[in-house]
């Protein structure tokens, strides 16, 4: 049998959720503030900020699901 190391699922779920919220907020703030500070952003800059928002939402939703529900059940 394989031995599993003990993981702190609650801490991983919380950290993943907070990382997702941080990415989302940073993407929103970047899209609102960056054009006012540095002028119009190039296309790749807008895409990076938009991707940060999308990844933040996905990470914020799936991290508690995976680390808080699924992994403790299969361990």
């Amino acid at each position: 049998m394989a031995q599993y190391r003990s993981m702190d699922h609650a801490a991983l779920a919380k950290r993943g959720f907070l990382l997702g919220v941080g990415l989302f907020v940073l993407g929103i703030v970047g899209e609102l503030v960056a054009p006012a500070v540095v002028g119009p952003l190039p296309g790749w800059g807008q895409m990076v900020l938009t991707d940060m928002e999308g990844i933040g939402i996905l990470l914020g939703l799936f991290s508690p699901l995976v680390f808080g529900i699924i992994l403790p059940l299969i361990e």
Side-chain angles (χ1 to χ4, degrees):
M1 291 198 123
Q3 290 189 345
Y4 298 101
R5 69 172 217 210
S6 179
M7 293 182 357
D8 188 7
H9 297 291
L12 289 172
K14 289 175 192 174
R15 289 178 188 155
F17 177 75
L18 291 176
L19 179 64
V21 169
L23 281 172
F24 179 73
V25 168
L26 192 61
I28 291 286
V29 169
E31 283 193 13
L32 295 175
V33 173
V37 173
V38 295
L41 292 175
W44 64 268
Q46 287 286 86
M47 184 56 75
V48 166
L49 293 172
T50 304
D51 288 344
M52 285 174 66
E53 292 174 24
I55 291 170
I57 291 171
L58 291 176
L59 190 62
L61 290 176
F62 285 117
S63 181
L65 180 70
V66 170
F67 291 114
I69 298 173
I70 295 173
L71 282 181
L73 288 176
I74 63 172
E75 195 172 82

